[in-house]
């Protein structure tokens, strides 16, 4: 084995023998018959028809599993469900499944939509049951046009078989699922903005409170979860929360779809437990660095999560607590790997361009700050930077972070703050030499 | 009562006020842009940030934790909160920029951001001088700028509709204008397009911003992004003076400011009054100023020939004395003030004539249930309360034909244009008229014309369709020197009068007219029926004292926001 920059032992246990559950190696699993043959919709049947389950016990089982959201923030899913207010027959309630997937470096939900769409539907139905919602929206990134029609087709099949719609499997529980084509902006993935978009409005995030459980879609109680989060739910019901809780890192358990991209030999989406060593993911799972180059940096969970230098990943595993201690975040598990030839300033320039382009423009610090950050990083990248620009960048990050309606401003500031501080020498070297002395 | 501590001072509060509004109500100024008290709270400008803390609660005892001095331990939220959206709670502790460096810095930071892409073309911007961005940037903003790049280019000179012009670059995306059309006027004619720093408000494809209330967005836009196509570039704000008054296009009496430069009214803006028009004004009210400046008379006339005021008064008195009292038709006016109509009724009574009548100007379908009414006059309710009823046209015309009308005395109206009489019908009776304009169609058959001051030149009272009595104040000067008018328009202030800052000295624009409360007593005096009033204020004081229909409506009580009168009799 090559140098791994990390200890070989992982919290994920013996990950080499891990058997995939979200994306099991089953041919044509997206077809409803195949899905049924492999235990599909059994968890739903159980939950809806057996005395063992009621909405509360389903929620409790999800709580027991320790499942945490896969949309980026890692919020405990069962706890989120329990925020829904008591059922009032006159007040509609909604589930929303977030398939907007737009964070650079993130492409794992698409895999589920393509290869295991019924698992997503089943998860949505179970969540609807648990929160007593009669309708669930699946909001899919608009650019995923092919996957939308693919899922529409499969949803029709699920309707035809009576898994969705009126009186599901004779249980008396009725639930509609609606696939909604997204409006083509990164911000539509932010939960409150997604709801505005779903309502046909401009996707401006809402101020919180009120939270979605209090006032969500059309102003009614709503729970919103990521596609991968909900796909875990049928598995939890089928095999038990205790089974799930034992997979991977104790405080952040379960299977994760790691989307590995960048300078590795085999980029792709890989299903493994949480708590995998970053080095294992790079050198074992993704086949090592392309061309045998040295690792320079890793962005562990989508472009907004703080970048880690190669020397910072020793023993670091992919779970919220460990990554926090290491100075980053789990995010979406979309890992960007960069080799020694990477121009980190150019990389940051591209990232700042993205957030500048995607700021919805509602709040001042994000709207103005994101563009200014790009301006400065671009100038540095083009060799026209001043040394004082580096301090200005950090200052602007402080002026943006935590001062806006949604977290996009933070997502725009973090890459700048951490790339500049962790690769400061490269930025300094790029600033115009003649002006270095003057500052 | 629940308490909140703001910058070390304790305040009691009721209900669930928001921190920003509560501070503003208690004289604590917090910078802000997007918040508007009449609309939803998007908290998007991020200028109004404050520190918010709550007493820490002991998990076990469920009691507030106390420090060693026995004071509650306050736990501050890690993030700054937007005061506009922050509900007050009992025990809450708030720090504003006055006590928190962190808050002051955050306000400064947001202003720095707001200014980086703002054109800073204040020298040519209509908003300069009363621009919330300009003012707050000076007060709370940074010195200079650290921004060294090209500003964002956005569309400029966009006609959103017939009356409102957009400069996209000046827009700070507060969404007030969009929220206005969504929530207040409900025309939904504006939306924000583009994303991020390229955002600006615009009409949807194929839509024109012709909302009858469109110009309100000019008032509420916190920068000069939305300007009045009518008013653009006509005057700088510091070259004008404004007078708080009401508009008179209809019976609502919406509160406004009349803006004057060179003694011409150039602009009308909304003045908040929760009892009448909130913060709003219909576009037609705003554009209703040309009539104050144009076609105005140049003094009294007798038989169409210029005369002095004294000659005209004498001639009018002669006419009145020359016919039997019961033969004189007195026409009051729903355009004229309560005071003027009241004096007319007194004169009619003194001469033994019937109670005056007024000519209604009703345009069915014009009203919208909001700030526009079918009635196109401002004081029909005031007339009704004085006992002046609408004319019975058929009856009056029959009397005229029968030769029973021997003279007509008409206040501030145009009986011929209104279709009450033809010019021929009036040709044979003497007519005394208080006209506003030289275009008055009754003038050619008028024997004595006593030009009247208009709403922007006089002092008086109007009663709106809901029985709200409101004062008007002079915004521009008339040719005459009248002590009451001079005092009411603050002209006595030496720093304003007779200096380059004087907005009224332009003699060509001073109309040679007089308030009817000057002319009527003068005529009455010469006709042998003196009216001992020192001015309109005393007339209203008498009415407020003696007539239940005007009970309480003294000038002092009406102040700037008016007095709601008791309802009397059946509604018109
Ligand atoms: C700017 C922004 C973009 C986001 N985009 C996505 C997204 O594309 N997909 C997603 O699942 N969550 C996204 N999120 C997170 C959601 O707001 C929300 O937290 C998540 O969908 C909750 O699901 P979970 O609890 O299952 O993780 C985004 C958040 C922000 C601030
Ligand atoms: S932080 Fe940025 S993306 Fe989020 S609401 Fe504000 S402007 Fe929009
Ligand atoms: S045009 Fe004015 S009111 Fe409208 S969003 Fe821009 S700054 Fe706000
Ligand atoms: S006033 Fe704009 S955020 Fe509060």
């Amino acid at each position: 084995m090559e140098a791994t920059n990390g200890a070989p032992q992982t919290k994920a246990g013996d990950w080499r023998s891990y058997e995939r559950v979200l994306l099991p190696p089953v041919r044509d699993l997206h077809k409803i018959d195949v899905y049924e043959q492999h235990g599909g919709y059994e968890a739903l049947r159980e939950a809806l028809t057996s005395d063992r389950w009621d909405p509360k016990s389903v929620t409790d089982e999800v709580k027991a599993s320790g499942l945490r959201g896969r949309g980026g923030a890692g919020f405990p899913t069962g706890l989120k469900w329990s925020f829904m207010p008591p059922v009032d027959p006159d007040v509609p309630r909604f589930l929303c499944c977030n398939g907007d997937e737009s964070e650079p470096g993130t492409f794992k939900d698409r895999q589920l939509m393509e290869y295991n769409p019924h698992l997503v539907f089943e998860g949505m139905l179970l969540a609807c049951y648990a929160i007593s919602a009669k309708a669930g929206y699946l909001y899919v990134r608009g650019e995923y046009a092919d996957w939308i029609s693919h899922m529409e087709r499969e949803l029709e099949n699920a309707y035809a078989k009576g898994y969705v719609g009126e009186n599901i499997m004779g249980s008396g529980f009725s639930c509609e699922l609606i696939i909604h084509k997204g409006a083509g902006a990164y911000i539509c993935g932010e939960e409150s903005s997604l709801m505005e978009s779903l309502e046909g409005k401009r996707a401006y995030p809402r101020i919180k409170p009120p939270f979605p459980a209090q006032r969500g879609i059309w102003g009614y109680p709503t729970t919103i979860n990521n596609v991968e989060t909900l796909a875990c739910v049928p598995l939890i019901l089928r095999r038990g929360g205790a089974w799930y809780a034992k997979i991977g890192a104790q405080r952040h358990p379960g299977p994760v779809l790691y989307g590995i991209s960048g300078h590795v030999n085999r980029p792709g989406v890989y299903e493994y437990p949480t708590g995998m060593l970053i080095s294992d993911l790079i050198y074992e799972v993704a086949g090592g660095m392309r061309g045998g180059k040295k690792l320079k940096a890793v962005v562990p969970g989508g472009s907004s999560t703080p970048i880690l230098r190669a020397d910072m990943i020793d023993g670091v595993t992919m779970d919220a607590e460990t990554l926090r201690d290491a100075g980053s975040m789990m995010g979406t598990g979309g890992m960007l790997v960069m080799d020694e030839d990477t121009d980190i300033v150019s990389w940051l320039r591209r990232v700042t361009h993205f957030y500048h382009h995607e700021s919805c423009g509602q709040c001042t610090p994000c709207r103005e700050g994101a563009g200014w950050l790009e301006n400065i990083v671009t100038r540095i990248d083009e060799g026209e930077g001043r040394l004082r620009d580096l301090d200005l960048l950090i200052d602007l990050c402080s002026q943006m972070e935590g001062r806006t309606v949604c977290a996009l401003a933070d997502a725009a500031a973090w890459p700048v703050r951490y790339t500049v501080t962790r690769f400061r020498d490269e930025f300094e070297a790029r600033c115009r030499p003649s002006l270095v002395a003057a500052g | 009562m629940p308490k909140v501590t703001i910058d070390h001072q304790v305040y009691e509060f009721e209900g669930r006020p928001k921190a920003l509004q509560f501070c503003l109500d208690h004289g604590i100024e917090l910078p802000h842009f997007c918040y508007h008290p009449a609309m939803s709270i998007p908290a998007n400008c991020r200028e109004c940030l404050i520190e918010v803390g709550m007493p820490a609660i002991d998990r076990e005892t469920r009691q507030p934790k106390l420090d060693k001095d026995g004071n509650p331990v306050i736990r501050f939220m890690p993030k700054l909160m937007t005061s506009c959206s922050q509900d007050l709670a009992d025990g809450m502790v708030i720090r504003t920029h006055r006590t928190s460096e962190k808050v002051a810095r955050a306000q400064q930071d947001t202003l720095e951001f707001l200014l980086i892409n703002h054109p800073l073309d204040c020298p040519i911007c209509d908003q300069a001088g009363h621009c919330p961005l300009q003012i707050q940037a000076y007060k709370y903003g940074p010195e200079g700028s650290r921004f060294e790049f090209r500003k964002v280019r956005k569309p400029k000179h966009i006609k959103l509709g017939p009356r409102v012009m957009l400069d996209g670059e000046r827009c700070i995306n507060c969404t007030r204008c969009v929220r206005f059309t969504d929530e207040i006027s409900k025309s939904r004619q504006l939306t924000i397009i583009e994303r991020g720093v390229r955002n600006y408000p615009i009409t949807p494809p194929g839509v024109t911003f012709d909302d009858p209330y469109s110009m309100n967005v000019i008032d509420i836009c916190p920068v000069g992004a939305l300007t009045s196509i009518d008013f653009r570039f006509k005057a700088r704000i510091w070259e004008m003076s404004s007078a708080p008054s009401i508009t008179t296009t209809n019976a609502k009496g919406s509160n406004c400011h009349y803006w004057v430069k060179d003694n011409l009214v150039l602009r009308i803006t909304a003045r908040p009054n929760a009892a009448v028009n909130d913060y709003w004004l219909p576009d037609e009210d705003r554009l209703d100023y040309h009539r104050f400046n144009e076609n105005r008379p140049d003094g009294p006339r007798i038989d169409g020939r210029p005369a002095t005021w004294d000659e005209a008064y004498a001639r009018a008195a002669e006419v009145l004395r020359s016919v039997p009292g019961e033969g004189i038709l007195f026409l009051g006016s729903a355009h004229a003030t309560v005071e003027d109509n009241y004096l007319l009724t007194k004169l009619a009574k003194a001469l033994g004539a019937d109670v005056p009548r007024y000519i209604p100007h009703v345009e069915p379908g014009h009203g919208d249930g909001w700030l526009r009414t079918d009635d196109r006059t401002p004081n029909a309710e005031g007339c009704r309360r004085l006992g002046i009823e609408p004319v019975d046209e058929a009856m009056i015309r029959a009397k005229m034909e029968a030769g029973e009308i021997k003279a007509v005395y008409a206040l501030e109206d145009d009986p011929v244009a209104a279709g009450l009489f033809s010019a021929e019908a009036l040709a044979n009776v003497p007519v005394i008229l208080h006209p506003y304009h030289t275009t008055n169609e009754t003038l050619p058959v008028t024997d004595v014309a006593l030009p009247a001051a208009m709403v922007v030149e006089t002092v008086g009272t109007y009663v709106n369709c809901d029985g709200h009595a409101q004062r008007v104040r002079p915004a521009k000067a008339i040719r005459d020197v009248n002590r009451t008018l001079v005092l009411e328009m603050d002209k006595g202030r030496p720093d304003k009068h007779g200096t380059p800052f004087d907005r009224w000295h332009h003699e060509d624009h001073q109309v040679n007219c007089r308030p009817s409360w000057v002319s009527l007593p003068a005529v009455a005096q010469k006709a042998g029926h003196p009216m001992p009033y020192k001015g309109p204020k005393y007339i209203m004081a008498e009415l407020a004292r003696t007539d239940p229909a005007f009970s309480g409506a003294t000038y002092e009580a009406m102040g700037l926001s008016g007095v709601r009168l008791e309802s009397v009799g059946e509604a018109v």
Side-chain angles (χ1 to χ4, degrees):
Chain A
M1 203 164 65
E2 300 183 42
T4 62
N5 289 318
Q9 194 50 53
T10 131
K11 282 190 196 167
D14 187 5
W15 56 267
R16 284 188 180 78
S17 60
Y18 173 77
E19 284 176 18
R20 292 184 280 160
V21 287
L22 286 168
L23 292 171
V26 175
R27 178 179 289 274
D28 287 342
L29 187 57
H30 66 275
K31 293 188 175 153
I32 194 159
D33 303 342
V34 181
Y35 184 68
E36 285 173 317
Q37 281 157 29
H38 289 82
Y41 290 113
E42 273 315 307
L44 180 65
R45 185 187 308 276
E46 267 283 303
L48 295 189
T49 57
S50 122
D51 288 343
R52 211 189 121 204
W53 298 107
D54 61 13
K56 181 167 183 310
S57 60
V58 172
T59 306
D60 287 344
E61 198 66 28
V62 172
K63 276 189 186 164
S65 75
L67 169 61
R68 290 168 67 168
R70 302 292 193 244
F75 194 83
T77 305
L79 183 62
K80 189 187 268 188
W81 292 3
S82 61
F83 290 158
M84 289 291 274
V87 176
D88 173 345
D90 296 335
V91 177
R93 304 149 78 82
F94 296 102
L95 174 82
C96 198
C97 178
N98 190 342
D100 192 57
E101 190 156 76
S102 316
E103 170 100 339
T106 307
F107 40 91
K108 41 105 182 168
D109 294 339
R110 191 184 68 194
Q111 219 71 0
L112 277 166
M113 298 184 212
E114 178 165 347
Y115 294 107
N116 210 349
H118 289 286
L119 186 66
V120 178
F121 299 151
E122 193 178 352
M124 288 179 69
L125 291 164
L126 284 166
C128 283
Y129 178 68
I131 62 168
S132 304
K134 291 197 175 59
Y137 289 95
L138 174 52
Y139 187 101
V140 186
R141 166 186 183 132
E143 290 88 338
Y144 284 178
D146 291 350
W147 289 268
I148 290 172
S149 36
H150 170 71
M151 280 196 297
E152 290 280 10
R153 223 169 19 244
E154 291 309 321
L155 185 58
E156 278 307 311
N157 294 333
Y159 264 101
K161 291 231 173 183
Y163 293 130
V164 198
E166 285 294 311
N167 190 15
I168 298 169
M169 292 183 271
S171 65
F173 178 69
S174 302
C175 186
E176 301 283 342
L177 295 188
I178 300 109
I179 297 176
H180 186 98
K181 188 169 182 279
Y186 170 64
I187 195 59
C188 293
E190 196 280 336
E191 55 189 27
S192 59
S193 164
L194 183 149
M195 291 172 194
E196 290 282 299
S197 169
L198 226 151
E199 293 174 13
K201 303 186 192 136
R202 186 180 164 79
Y204 267 170
R206 302 173 180 168
I207 47 170
K208 286 148 254 178
F211 293 97
Q214 301 156 286
R215 227 179 294 155
I217 301 171
W218 315 114
Y220 296 117
T222 303
T223 293
I224 176 160
N225 282 118
N226 171 256
V227 166
E228 187 187 342
T229 312
L230 290 176
C232 287
V233 174
L235 306 172
I236 291 167
L237 284 225
R238 240 184 264 169
R239 301 170 74 163
W243 162 80
Y244 190 94
K246 282 213 280 291
I247 301 173
Q250 206 188 345
R251 292 167 70 187
H252 195 167
V256 178
L257 299 179
Y258 294 105
I260 308 179
S261 62
H263 306 145
V264 290
N265 281 317
R266 286 197 306 271
V269 174
Y270 295 96
E271 179 187 334
Y272 280 105
T274 56
M276 289 277 288
L277 274 175
I278 293 178
S279 52
D280 278 351
L281 284 169
I282 296 172
Y283 293 103
E284 303 286 328
V285 173
M289 298 300 293
R290 205 175 55 188
K293 292 268 166 68
K294 276 190 8 210
L295 177 69
K296 177 172 189 169
V298 179
V299 177
S303 56
S304 64
T305 55
I307 192 167
L308 295 170
R309 276 191 321 262
D311 62 305
M312 297 168 79
I313 67 159
D314 272 4
V316 175
T317 55
M318 290 292 284
D319 55 274
E321 281 66 31
T322 314
L323 279 168
R324 188 195 55 214
D325 294 344
S328 189
M329 282 180 288
M330 177 81 173
T332 59
M335 180 184 289
L336 289 76
V337 181
M338 289 175 253
D339 71 17
E340 55 190 327
D341 294 344
T342 312
D343 181 338
I344 214 78
V345 181
S346 290
W347 176 79
L348 184 63
R349 175 180 179 176
R350 187 61 188 79
V351 172
T352 53
H353 175 70
F354 175 80
Y355 291 105
H356 174 199
H357 188 258
E358 295 300 330
S359 163
C360 81
Q362 184 177 201
C363 355
T364 307
C366 175
R367 177 183 67 235
E368 307 291 341
W372 197 354
L373 291 179
E374 188 193 356
N375 283 334
I376 300 173
V377 176
T378 301
R379 167 158 107 175
I380 297 171
D381 186 39
E382 289 174 351
E384 300 288 328
R386 327 280 196 263
L387 264 190
R388 62 178 146 84
D389 284 347
L390 302 185
D391 294 332
L392 179 56
L393 283 173
I394 303 297
D395 219 22
L396 295 182
C397 290
S398 308
Q399 294 183 194
M400 294 168 69
E401 288 161 3
R403 293 197 187 158
T404 51
V405 170
C406 88
L408 191 142
D410 306 81
W414 289 330
V416 175
R417 173 183 292 282
Y418 293 103
T419 310
V420 171
T421 48
R422 291 176 184 170
F423 291 90
R424 184 151 178 133
D425 49 344
E426 290 192 34
F427 282 84
E428 285 182 1
R430 191 73 68 85
C431 288
R432 264 170 71 178
S434 60
L435 292 175
V436 167
Chain B
M1 209 183 278
K3 292 188 176 67
V4 58
T5 308
I6 304 173
D7 295 336
H8 311 309
Q9 193 173 333
V10 180
Y11 300 82
E12 293 190 328
F13 66 93
E14 274 175 276
R16 266 188 91 95
K18 302 283 185 196
L20 174 58
Q21 189 62 56
F22 188 83
C23 284
L24 296 176
D25 292 345
H26 289 79
I28 304 168
E29 182 185 283
L30 292 180
H32 64 280
F33 295 103
C34 66
Y35 175 77
H36 190 286
M39 300 192 284
S40 63
I41 301 174
N44 62 29
C45 75
R46 316 307 285 182
E47 181 58 41
C48 66
L49 296 168
I50 49 169
E51 275 192 85
V52 175
M54 286 298 290
I57 302 291
D58 192 304
R59 284 252 173 121
E60 268 133 51
T61 61
R62 306 218 136 264
Q63 293 299 310
K65 283 189 193 162
L66 301 178
D67 63 15
K68 47 185 187 314
D69 302 329
N71 296 318
V73 176
I74 302 300
R75 195 158 286 153
F76 279 89
M77 299 193 199
K79 291 183 183 178
L80 298 174
M81 309 303 283
T82 46
S83 59
C84 59
S85 61
Q86 178 66 52
D87 287 312
L88 294 190
D90 195 17
M92 184 176 277
V93 176
I94 288 175
R95 295 191 192 132
T96 75
H97 57 280
R98 304 184 305 172
T99 54
S100 163
E101 267 298 312
K102 199 170 149 193
V103 171
R105 173 70 210 260
Q107 291 172 351
Q108 181 180 320
D109 292 347
T110 300
L111 273 161
E112 179 181 36
F113 279 140
L114 279 172
L115 294 174
I116 62 171
N117 282 307
H118 194 77
L120 303 184
D121 56 353
C122 311
I124 56 153
C125 177
D126 271 326
Q127 188 85 340
H130 63 156
C131 172
L133 180 59
Q134 194 182 39
I135 294 165
Q136 298 183 96
Y138 276 121
K139 276 185 152 174
Y140 306 99
E143 249 173 65
S145 173
R146 298 181 288 177
F147 186 74
E148 300 169 325
F149 301 90
R150 255 180 75 148
K151 290 176 190 273
V152 169
R153 292 294 182 79
K154 288 198 270 185
K156 293 169 95 77
H157 326 297
I158 306 282
K159 264 183 125 174
L160 294 176
R163 296 175 290 276
V164 181
M165 183 81 92
L166 167 75
D167 181 324
E169 291 181 350
R170 289 182 188 153
C171 170
I172 59 166
N173 283 295
C174 72
T175 69
R176 276 182 172 190
C177 54
V178 175
R179 281 178 283 142
F180 174 81
T181 67
D182 279 355
E183 300 168 16
I184 306 292
S185 74
K186 306 237 164 61
S187 70
R188 299 181 183 276
Q189 286 177 336
L190 292 179
T191 184
I192 303 277
I193 61 156
E194 284 289 357
R195 201 159 63 205
V197 84
R198 297 175 314 278
N199 274 2
Y200 60 94
I202 193 90
T203 49
V207 173
T208 304
F209 187 35
D210 57 2
D211 187 324
Y213 291 82
S214 68
M215 296 172 78
N216 286 292
V217 301
I218 301 163
D219 279 359
I220 59 177
C221 178
V223 290
L226 299 172
T227 48
S228 159
I229 290 177
D230 175 77
F231 174 70
R232 272 160 71 81
F233 307 136
K234 277 201 197 151
R236 308 315 312 255
I237 197 76
W238 52 87
E239 298 170 334
M240 295 189 284
S241 71
S242 76
S245 187
I246 65 167
T247 61
T248 53
T249 64
N250 66 51
K252 196 71 189 181
S254 294
N255 288 207
C256 73
H257 285 287
Y258 288 107
W259 293 84
V260 170
K261 177 190 174 186
D262 291 343
N263 208 36
L264 290 177
V265 181
L266 294 186
R267 186 170 76 143
I268 302 171
T269 57
R271 184 167 65 89
N273 186 340
V276 182
N277 55 315
D278 281 327
Y279 302 86
W280 320 119
L281 216 53
D283 288 2
E284 64 185 23
D285 284 23
R286 290 174 191 265
L287 295 174
D288 174 51
Y289 63 85
H290 296 278
R291 64 193 178 96
F292 303 131
N293 305 331
E294 292 161 17
N295 300 319
R296 299 301 305 280
D298 58 352
R301 285 180 182 245
I302 298 172
D303 297 329
R305 281 183 300 279
T308 66
W309 284 100
D310 270 345
E311 287 164 2
Y313 291 147
R315 178 86 174 91
E318 213 179 289
V319 169
L320 294 178
R321 274 198 313 247
S322 67
V323 291
E326 64 275 11
I328 309 172
L329 171 65
F330 280 92
L331 288 173
S333 168
H335 295 296
T337 64
V338 169
E339 291 85 335
D340 296 340
N341 278 294
Y342 179 59
L343 293 181
L344 190 75
T345 55
K346 292 219 127 183
L347 181 60
K349 192 166 174 204
L351 292 168
D354 280 349
V355 178
R357 299 289 186 120
Y358 77 92
I359 306 171
H361 296 267
V362 178
E363 192 183 315
H366 181 265
D368 59 6
W370 188 18
L371 300 182
R372 303 195 304 165
T373 59
D374 284 353
D375 184 355
R376 302 303 306 270
T377 61
N379 205 23
E381 176 65 16
C383 289
R384 192 179 73 87
R385 283 172 183 263
L386 286 167
I388 302 177
E389 298 291 340
V391 282
D392 181 336
E393 293 191 19
M395 195 254 277
I396 293 270
R397 278 194 216 110
K399 273 191 165 180
M400 181 65 91
E401 268 163 40
E404 288 168 32
I405 294 176
K406 307 262 189 277
V408 175
Y409 195 115
L411 209 57
E412 310 178 23
D413 209 323
D414 187 345
V416 171
L420 182 61
F421 300 118
S422 65
E424 295 77 52
L426 285 180
N428 299 323
V429 287
V431 176
I432 303 165
L433 181 68
H434 291 211
Y436 290 147
H437 295 114
T438 51
T439 49
N440 190 309
E441 291 176 30
T442 311
L443 272 180
V445 289
T446 295
D447 296 71
V448 186
L450 303 168
M454 299 185 74
V455 63
V456 294
E457 293 153 330
T458 192
V459 171
T461 305
Y462 287 86
V463 185
N464 86 350
C465 54
D466 304 315
H468 203 73
Q470 310 188 85
R471 285 179 61 186
V472 301
R473 292 166 182 76
K476 67 192 284 258
I478 57 172
R479 181 74 51 83
D480 247 15
V481 177
N482 179 295
R483 215 174 135 258
T484 304
L485 293 177
V486 167
L487 286 178
E488 284 278 352
M489 70 194 296
D490 256 2
K491 236 178 147 185
R493 282 178 54 185
D495 60 330
K496 285 195 166 186
H497 189 47
T499 71
F501 304 108
D502 179 347
R503 322 287 182 243
W504 310 283
H505 71 274
H506 203 293
E507 300 228 339
D508 289 349
H509 298 154
Q510 289 175 351
V511 179
N512 190 1
C513 62
R514 282 183 178 176
S516 293
W517 48 257
V518 172
S519 294
L520 278 168
V523 173
Q525 168 88 30
K526 291 206 184 326
H529 302 283
M531 295 177 176
Y533 292 109
K534 281 198 280 176
K537 176 175 161 181
Y538 303 93
I539 300 174
M540 266 330 272
E542 175 179 306
L543 268 172
R545 201 173 55 244
T546 58
D547 187 342
F550 293 94
S551 174
T554 61
Y555 273 32
E556 290 76 12
M558 283 188 282
L560 284 168
S561 44
V563 161
R564 184 63 54 120
L565 300 175
E566 293 290 324
S567 54
V568 284
E570 89 293 11
V572 191

